[in-house]
Amino acid sequence: MTNEHAAGAPAPQTARARRFADRLADLGLTEAQAATRAGMSIAYLRRVLELDSDFDPPALLRLAAVLGLDYQELVSGRPAERVHGASAAPRSDSLPMVGPPVLGELGTADCWDRIGASGLGRLARTGPDGPVVRPVSYLVHDRTVLYRTNPDGVLAPAAGGEAAFEVDHADPDLRQGWSVLMVGPLAYVTEPALLAELPQPPAHGRWVRLTPATVTGRTISTASAT
């Protein structure tokens, strides 16, 4: 087997992660290749597979598209894992999707247009205890992303390493959506003129800037229900 689970990567623990690993083996893809095609880091990919499906449904949509599966096949194993071939009863967490989702790509300018001037995103980085993913409120300034955090927090700048910033959107029934991923170093905002224009951070908080080295985006669409 040529995928990365055979080369020392952590063994998948959840049923969803096992389905993902089995499908990678069937397709002859590595974990890194799947992460790149889905527009996310390996650390974030593993986080998405480990946590509840409500954590980041659009990310699961992108992974399903990379694997050529429909959403429910990846998330819950239906219909591939129906017991004795019987139809599974409807569940409250089912999503009305038909067929594998299809990925498209966004250009850099489109990515900045999608995230707008401000909003809510996720910041992911590797900390002393492993991958850390946190929601952040952000502002865009001169093609950089600004957010506030405590200097002692896990999202504060540290020597070396990069952070990944993601913003995504999906319509209520998840038939279409988009996702933008930016990766780059973090640094505190120090310009007095800019700090004077920004909202005052909470006590002991500071503004941090992510300067993207890479900007990628994906669109997601699925077949309509019939």
Side-chain angles (χ1 to χ4, degrees):
M1 184 165 58
T2 59
N3 66 44
E4 289 190 2
H5 293 292
Q13 299 298 315
T14 65
R16 185 187 308 149
R18 289 193 294 272
R19 282 190 291 273
F20 174 80
D22 289 344
R23 184 62 173 168
L24 283 187
D26 291 341
L27 297 174
L29 291 175
T30 66
E31 188 180 40
Q33 288 172 327
T36 298
R37 294 183 185 185
M40 63 184 73
S41 68
I42 293 177
Y44 193 79
L45 180 152
R46 292 175 181 169
R47 195 74 169 164
V48 167
L49 293 174
E50 291 168 1
L51 297 178
D52 187 86
S53 57
D54 290 338
F55 170 69
D56 192 349
L60 287 169
L61 267 175
R62 301 201 305 278
L63 290 177
V66 169
L67 300 179
L69 300 174
D70 69 33
Y71 183 88
Q72 291 298 346
E73 282 182 297
L74 175 60
V75 172
S76 59
R78 300 191 304 273
E81 295 180 4
R82 289 174 179 164
V83 178
H84 303 304
S87 297
R91 287 172 42 174
S92 60
D93 63 352
S94 296
L95 297 174
M97 298 178 58
V98 177
V102 178
L103 289 179
E105 294 189 5
L106 291 171
T108 300
D110 288 333
C111 290
W112 286 107
D113 287 343
R114 296 289 178 120
I115 72 171
S118 62
L120 182 66
R122 296 181 181 86
L123 197 81
R125 65 182 310 182
T126 301
D129 300 320
V132 176
V133 181
R134 295 286 188 274
V136 293
S137 296
Y138 68 88
L139 298 175
V140 171
H141 179 264
D142 287 344
R143 294 295 177 101
T144 66
V145 176
L146 310 181
Y147 67 93
R148 291 169 289 191
T149 192
N150 189 312
D152 297 325
V154 295
L155 300 186
E162 294 184 320
F165 172 74
E166 183 185 41
V167 181
D168 52 48
H169 170 78
D171 69 7
D173 62 8
L174 295 179
R175 284 193 172 91
Q176 60 183 2
W178 55 265
S179 176
V180 169
L181 177 70
M182 301 181 177
V183 179
L186 302 175
Y188 286 116
V189 177
T190 58
E191 302 93 321
L194 176 56
L195 289 172
E197 296 177 2
L198 295 172
Q200 185 68 28
H204 309 297
R206 293 188 64 180
W207 280 98
V208 177
R209 172 189 286 117
L210 182 144
T211 303
T214 61
V215 178
T216 57
R218 302 288 188 275
T219 59
I220 312 163
S221 60
T222 60
S224 299
T226 57

